Amino acid sequence: MNENALQHALELQLFDRLKPELTSFCYRMLGSIDDADDAVQETSIRVWHSWNSFRQESSFKTWVYRIASNICLDKLRQAKRRTRPVDFSDPQASIIVPSETLPDSSWIWPAPAFSENPEDILIRKDTLQLCFIALLQILPLRQRAVLILKDVFEWSSKQIAETLGLSPAAVNSALQRARETMGRAKLRSEEYSLMDVEPDQELLSRYVEAFERFDIDALVTLFHEEGHMSMPPFPMWVCGKDDLFKFFSLTRWHCDGSRFLPTTVNGGYPAFAQYVPSSDKTSLVPWGIHVIVMKDKKIFHIQNFINTKLFSRFRLPEQLDR
């Protein structure tokens, strides 16, 4: 093996070790696992092409993160802020079957595990909550990067400064402003941080059983009085037991006969992949991924991410037998 080939093999090995952590950084920055994957892939290509320019004036890790940060910042400059239905509008006043949708680029989407390594999974799991990802999106871009690198990955101000091309003083100033903005923010989805620390497995089982039977009375009983449900890419969301009952009744034709498969999102939070009867009724096909927020042994919020592309990303089956 010649010297160049050896260098490239070493580079690939170093990059592969960083990839899970780098993907989680890009996901927190961008709010979309697809965009994060694209950013990491582009980073890999740039690292490959720029290897000979790496002079080891900083660590390999810092150099790679500098490339990835710039890619994320470039993507974000051209994009609108991602959000969640509960932060986008008030609850639906009149309950109807939803029809209006917004582009996928409007919404924050869940992410599967970035790594099989338990140590990677445990890195600030709370900062993978969807409500925290939503909160990050309100920050100016460099403040967002600074806060993630400092408060999530616990980098030094010096290392962050080298990565983002700032002075340590500018890093500390950006961090202070970011923390102040996060503290002042009043997003409705911040309430979801009150979720029960340990999932109530009995409540989850009752939700699956009631939904698969499509027993609307049993379903609604599981919710808080102020419980709600949202369904991106639909901007509408439903709040309160009465409106939930009306909504489930209106959508029975679509959801009756559904089946769930368990999965997890964003660091291990419980979720279920919903499959619905196909148009010819011969099989069950992907529909949405239900992320369940629980509070005081009741369902506080169901976010049903209706995006069939997520199923392959979560390594879920393309269809189920009826």
Side-chain angles (χ1 to χ4, degrees):
M1 183 180 290
N2 63 39
E3 187 176 346
N4 282 340
L6 189 62
Q7 281 186 333
H8 283 318
L10 175 62
E11 165 207 340
L12 284 172
Q13 187 179 39
L14 289 170
F15 188 83
D16 282 346
R17 288 178 190 164
L18 280 180
K19 192 172 179 180
E21 178 190 309
L22 194 66
T23 305
S24 73
F25 167 76
C26 292
Y27 172 69
R28 287 175 172 93
M29 284 290 292
L30 300 168
S32 159
I33 189 58
D34 285 342
D35 283 3
D37 282 344
D38 289 346
V40 171
Q41 178 64 22
E42 192 172 338
T43 301
S44 175
I45 292 169
R46 291 195 193 178
V47 166
W48 176 269
H49 289 305
S50 307
W51 178 258
N52 291 332
S53 67
F54 174 48
R55 302 299 181 206
Q56 298 187 355
E57 294 166 359
S58 59
S59 72
F60 177 77
K61 183 175 181 176
T62 300
W63 180 61
V64 170
Y65 267 83
R66 184 182 307 145
I67 294 171
S69 298
N70 286 333
I71 288 170
C72 288
L73 293 173
D74 286 344
K75 284 180 175 290
L76 289 165
R77 287 188 191 102
Q78 301 166 26
K80 293 182 179 178
R81 176 167 72 91
R82 289 179 180 269
T83 187
R84 307 176 74 187
V86 294
D87 296 319
F88 179 79
S89 65
D90 290 331
Q92 189 79 4
S94 130
I95 304 305
I96 58 172
V97 175
S99 57
E100 177 197 2
T101 62
L102 294 180
D104 286 355
S105 58
S106 305
W107 307 114
I108 291 163
W109 299 100
F114 302 112
S115 169
E116 301 300 324
N117 184 337
E119 291 182 8
D120 291 333
I121 293 170
L122 290 174
I123 291 177
R124 292 302 307 274
K125 177 182 171 181
D126 58 313
T127 67
L128 278 174
Q129 285 190 40
L130 287 160
C131 55
F132 185 79
I133 302 297
L135 204 53
L136 286 173
Q137 307 308 303
I138 70 173
L139 293 175
L141 305 186
R142 289 195 181 276
Q143 288 184 31
R144 190 183 311 176
V146 166
L147 185 121
I148 294 169
L149 290 173
K150 186 69 172 180
D151 286 359
V152 177
F153 295 105
E154 299 181 348
W155 285 23
S156 69
S157 296
K158 180 177 182 293
Q159 192 177 8
I160 297 170
E162 290 174 356
T163 300
L164 300 179
L166 302 170
S167 68
V171 166
N172 292 332
S173 176
L175 181 64
Q176 181 180 351
R177 293 198 303 275
R179 287 172 174 167
E180 288 172 354
T181 300
M182 295 277 273
R184 288 195 308 267
K186 298 297 179 187
L187 294 183
R188 189 181 277 113
S189 64
E190 273 192 274
E191 298 173 5
Y192 304 162
S193 64
L194 302 173
M195 65 162 54
D196 294 340
V197 176
E198 290 298 326
D200 184 330
Q201 296 300 331
E202 182 186 355
L203 180 59
L204 292 174
S205 296
R206 288 167 64 198
Y207 177 73
V208 171
E209 181 183 354
F211 202 106
E212 289 186 341
R213 293 199 326 265
F214 218 71
D215 182 335
I216 296 175
D217 287 314
L219 263 178
V220 172
T221 299
L222 302 177
F223 282 81
H224 268 269
E225 287 300 325
E226 71 275 22
H228 33 79
M229 179 174 65
S230 58
M231 302 142 289
F234 299 103
M236 72 161 286
W237 58 286
V238 181
C239 182
K241 286 189 173 184
D242 289 344
D243 283 352
L244 283 165
F245 187 94
K246 292 175 189 174
F247 183 81
F248 285 133
S249 299
L250 279 176
T251 56
R252 174 185 284 281
W253 64 273
H254 178 74
C255 291
D256 214 359
S258 292
R259 192 186 309 165
F260 281 146
L261 286 185
T263 186
T264 58
V265 303
N266 291 55
Y269 294 103
F272 293 96
Q274 179 190 358
Y275 290 77
V276 297
S278 59
S279 55
D280 60 7
K281 309 299 182 186
T282 60
S283 63
L284 295 164
V285 294
W287 175 245
I289 294 180
H290 294 223
V291 179
I292 302 173
V293 176
M294 292 166 279
K295 179 182 170 186
D296 303 329
K297 298 189 179 300
K298 290 283 188 177
I299 293 173
F300 187 63
H301 182 69
I302 296 288
Q303 187 154 5
N304 182 6
F305 291 93
I306 300 171
N307 184 338
T308 56
K309 291 183 294 184
L310 288 172
F311 280 65
S312 60
R313 190 65 183 76
F314 279 77
R315 298 180 182 177
L316 291 160
E318 293 181 3
Q319 67 175 42
L320 300 177
D321 296 331
R322 289 205 74 179

